């Protein structure tokens, strides 16, 4: 099933020809209308006229989140404010928020790409979509909402929070599709169990989860506990919002990037060198149709790889692998690079361990230490201390053997780790605190 079969199945040559045409047009627009890009392109010695092939993309300068903060709020906009019909912003937890503006055409494009994404995930016009992504400045809620309406499905604009009510609404309204973060879906499953509600009695059949990295093991756990097909979606506010890329329900082997609107690259995060297909590195995205705030080679900090191999679903757009973490979330423990998702994958493979954990990093006597706190089931926690110690040792050994890092594993009682109705906080790094 396709939402826009013509564009979703374009031959590779046609995709690249369209990308080149749209890239040159976008660069010409920002060079004329955005002082930041006029200056950075001049420094790089490149203009729209000098772009002859997609290989020239690598000559263009990177754009960083800090550039967006330095241009706060509107200095990266490429159109007059009278043409901006909506404004979103990131949470800004580590400084000024990054602000993005949308023209009506941008909103229409976003709705189209989210509709494509829903269909790729197995959603159709007759579905009832329970949308638990946050509404407001965050792009998740409204992005999914407009995509659902564009598809012609029924959408329930729940937003996050009030979990008991969410479950009641899913029961009473006959929701068939759930959209939220993967960690919140597990929180819902936990809350439903406490209420004596079995997700197998609900009508849910598809879950579209994103906004945070999650593992294949967590997918299996979600599918078992919520009795649905769990699909990974990718997006970020700076580029558009949700719907930049999504898995297809036929394969679930990488997320299709809508290449008629975005050009993805994988680079070495240290050197900036473009890496070949199949190699893992940092995802860089160039928007080629956005009007409000086009971005050239935006450094997402998300770690993945890319493939251009054909997919069984028939879509021809490149696929990126499930995000394994972020280059700025990577922990370096005594010289060893560790991503939270790697530890999660190990934890989820251990019987009796729950999908709720936190990594605590300290610096003691000038040495970095890592403590993994993870919940265990009621039956495990009430077991003899020697059995708990044996399980902790087993996990410590697996982490050491598979990741090469020494850590302390502390098994904690059920429901003792703070739950999140949005993105789960997995890391507490105390090394730089006074």
């Amino acid at each position: 099933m396709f939402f826009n079969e013509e564009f979703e199945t374009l031959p590779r040559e046609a995709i690249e020809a369209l990308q080149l045409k749209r890239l040159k047009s976008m660069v010409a627009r920002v060079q004329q209308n955005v002082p930041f890009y006029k200056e950075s392109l001049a420094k790089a010695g490149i203009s729209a006229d000098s772009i002859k092939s997609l290989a020239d993309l690598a000559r263009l300068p990177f754009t960083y989140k800090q550039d967006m903060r330095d241009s706060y709020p509107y200095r990266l906009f490429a159109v007059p404010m009278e043409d901006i019909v909506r404004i979103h912003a990131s949470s800004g937890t580590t400084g000024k928020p990054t602000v993005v503006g949308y023209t009506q055409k941008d909103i229409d494009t976003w709705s189209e790409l989210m509709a494509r994404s829903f269909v790729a995930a197995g959603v159709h016009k007759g579905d009832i979509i329970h949308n638990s992504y946050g509404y407001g400045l965050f792009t998740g809620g409204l992005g999914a909402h407009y995509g659902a309406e564009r598809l012609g499905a029924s959408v329930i604009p729940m937003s996050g929070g009030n979990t008991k009510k969410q479950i009641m609404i899913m029961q009473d309204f006959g929701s068939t599709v759930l959209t939220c973060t993967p960690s919140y879906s597990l929180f819902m499953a936990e809350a439903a169990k406490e209420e004596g509600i079995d997700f197998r009695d609900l009508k849910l059949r598809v879950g579209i989860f994103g906004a945070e990295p999650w593992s294949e093991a967590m997918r299996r756990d979600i599918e078992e506990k919520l009795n649905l097909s769990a699909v990974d979606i990718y997006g970020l506010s700076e580029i558009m919002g949700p719907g930049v890329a999504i898995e297809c329900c036929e394969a679930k082997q990488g997320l299709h990037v809508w290449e008629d609107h975005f050009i993805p690259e994988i680079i070495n995060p240290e050197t900036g060198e473009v890496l070949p297909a199949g190699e893992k590195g940092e995802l860089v995205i160039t928007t080629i149709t956005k009007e409000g705030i086009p971005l050239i080679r935006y450094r997402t900090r998300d770690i993945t790889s890319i493939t251009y191999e054909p997919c069984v679903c028939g879509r021809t757009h490149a696929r990126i692998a499930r995000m394994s973490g972020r280059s700025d979330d990577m922990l370096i423990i005594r010289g060893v690079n560790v991503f939270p998702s790697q530890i999660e994958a190990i934890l989820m493979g251990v019987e009796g361990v729950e999908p709720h954990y936190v990594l605590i990093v300290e610096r003691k006597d000038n040495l970095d230490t890592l403590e993994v706190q993870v919940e265990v089931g009621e039956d495990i926690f009430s077991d003899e201390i020697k059995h708990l110690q044996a399980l902790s040792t087993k996990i410590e050994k697996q982490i050491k053997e598979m990741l090469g890092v020494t850590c302390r594993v502390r098994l904690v009682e059920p429901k003792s780790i703070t739950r999140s109705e949005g993105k789960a906080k997995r890391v507490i790094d105390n090394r730089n605190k006074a």
Side-chain angles (χ1 to χ4, degrees):
M1 288 286 292
F2 303 97
F3 181 76
N4 187 335
E5 186 170 359
E6 178 187 356
F7 280 92
E8 292 178 53
T9 61
L10 280 174
R12 172 55 43 190
E13 301 78 19
I15 290 175
E16 293 181 354
L18 184 61
Q19 286 179 327
L20 180 60
K21 178 183 177 181
R22 289 178 168 179
L23 174 65
K24 294 178 70 171
S25 175
M26 182 272 290
V27 171
R29 282 190 292 111
V30 298
Q31 199 162 17
Q32 179 176 348
N33 299 325
V34 184
F36 168 81
Y37 279 125
K38 183 176 183 179
E39 181 180 343
S40 62
L41 289 166
K43 284 182 180 179
I46 190 169
S47 66
D49 292 336
S50 62
I51 298 174
K52 305 300 182 185
S53 72
L54 288 179
D56 290 325
L57 182 64
R59 296 170 53 205
L60 297 174
F62 292 118
T63 305
Y64 297 85
K65 183 181 280 283
Q66 190 58 47
D67 295 326
M68 300 188 74
R69 288 183 176 139
D70 292 343
S71 301
Y72 177 87
Y74 305 141
R75 292 198 299 276
L76 279 182
F77 286 12
V79 297
M81 280 303 297
E82 63 190 31
D83 293 333
I84 297 293
V85 299
R86 192 192 302 171
I87 296 169
H88 281 287
S90 70
S91 58
T93 53
T94 56
K96 290 278 190 183
T98 54
V99 180
V100 287
Y102 301 77
T103 66
Q104 186 57 56
K105 185 180 177 183
D106 291 335
I107 296 295
D108 292 342
T109 297
W110 190 8
S111 302
E112 148 97 14
L113 298 187
M114 269 305 304
R116 285 190 202 178
S117 299
F118 276 127
V119 173
V123 181
H124 52 71
K125 188 175 180 179
D127 276 308
I128 299 174
I129 299 173
H130 186 100
N131 186 18
S132 294
Y133 284 120
Y135 283 67
L137 287 176
F138 175 61
T139 55
L142 284 170
H145 185 113
Y146 274 64
E149 291 186 339
R150 181 67 174 271
L151 174 59
S154 302
V155 59
I156 304 171
M158 280 301 299
S159 195
N162 205 344
T163 305
K164 289 184 179 180
K165 186 175 182 180
Q166 299 249 11
I167 295 166
M168 180 194 76
I169 292 292
M170 283 190 282
Q171 278 185 301
D172 296 348
F173 287 18
S175 306
T176 57
V177 178
L178 173 63
T179 62
C180 64
T181 61
S183 56
Y184 187 51
S185 75
L186 287 173
F187 182 44
M188 283 183 169
E190 196 175 64
K193 187 177 180 180
E194 289 178 356
E195 296 295 310
I197 296 168
D198 190 336
F199 264 91
R200 287 175 295 186
D201 296 330
L202 273 61
K203 294 182 178 179
L204 288 175
R205 59 181 192 83
V206 177
I208 299 175
F209 306 116
E212 63 188 18
W214 53 304
S215 64
E216 196 62 35
M218 184 179 278
R219 188 209 300 270
R220 291 191 295 269
D221 197 38
I222 290 171
E223 291 185 333
E224 180 183 343
K225 290 178 177 176
L226 277 74
N227 192 40
L228 47 67
S229 171
V231 175
D232 195 6
I233 190 170
Y234 177 76
L236 59 168
S237 300
E238 297 89 339
I239 297 301
M240 182 181 73
V244 173
I246 193 164
E247 290 179 323
C248 58
C249 59
E250 293 90 345
K252 294 185 182 178
Q253 294 289 326
L255 295 83
H256 292 277
V257 180
W258 303 122
E259 289 188 277
D260 49 333
H261 295 275
F262 312 107
I263 304 179
E265 302 171 272
I266 304 297
I267 66 165
N268 180 318
E270 301 297 326
T271 67
E273 172 197 4
V274 178
L275 300 176
E279 288 197 25
K280 185 177 286 189
E282 180 185 335
L283 176 63
V284 171
I285 298 177
T286 298
T287 67
I288 51 175
T289 59
K290 273 191 83 173
E291 293 182 338
I293 181 168
L295 295 180
I296 296 174
R297 304 191 80 199
Y298 183 73
R299 298 283 297 264
T300 71
R301 300 299 185 188
D302 291 315
I303 301 299
T304 184
S305 60
I306 195 166
T307 179
Y308 297 91
E309 292 295 316
C311 182
V312 295
C313 73
R315 292 175 180 83
T316 52
H317 296 240
R319 285 172 289 157
I320 51 176
R322 175 190 294 279
M323 301 299 154
S324 60
R326 291 177 54 82
S327 60
D328 51 359
D329 279 353
M330 182 179 71
L331 296 171
I332 302 178
I333 309 296
R334 301 191 191 184
V336 180
N337 296 343
V338 180
F339 289 102
S341 58
Q342 293 175 309
I343 292 178
E344 177 185 293
I346 294 171
L347 295 175
M348 294 295 290
V350 178
E351 188 176 353
V353 167
E354 298 294 319
H356 306 289
Y357 68 93
V358 64
L359 312 180
I360 301 175
V361 187
E362 306 275 0
R363 181 161 289 153
K364 298 177 181 178
D365 299 325
N366 296 318
L367 290 176
D368 294 337
T369 64
L370 172 63
E371 178 176 281
V372 179
Q373 294 185 8
V374 59
E375 290 183 14
V376 292
E378 291 277 5
D379 53 337
I380 300 292
F381 193 75
S382 60
D383 212 336
E384 294 182 13
I385 291 179
K386 65 178 182 180
H387 291 153
L388 291 173
Q389 290 174 336
L391 182 57
S392 295
T393 301
K394 175 186 175 182
I395 299 172
E396 289 170 356
K397 184 179 179 182
Q398 287 189 13
I399 292 173
K400 176 66 175 177
E401 289 178 349
M402 297 181 72
L403 304 181
V405 65
T406 300
C407 69
R408 176 185 176 226
V409 172
R410 186 153 73 91
L411 305 179
V412 298
E413 63 183 312
K415 303 171 188 171
S416 61
I417 290 176
T418 303
R419 302 297 192 260
S420 171
E421 293 172 346
K423 298 182 182 182
K425 184 173 178 59
R426 301 296 195 193
V427 178
I428 300 173
D429 193 338
N430 294 322
R431 287 177 294 186
N432 296 321
K433 294 181 180 179

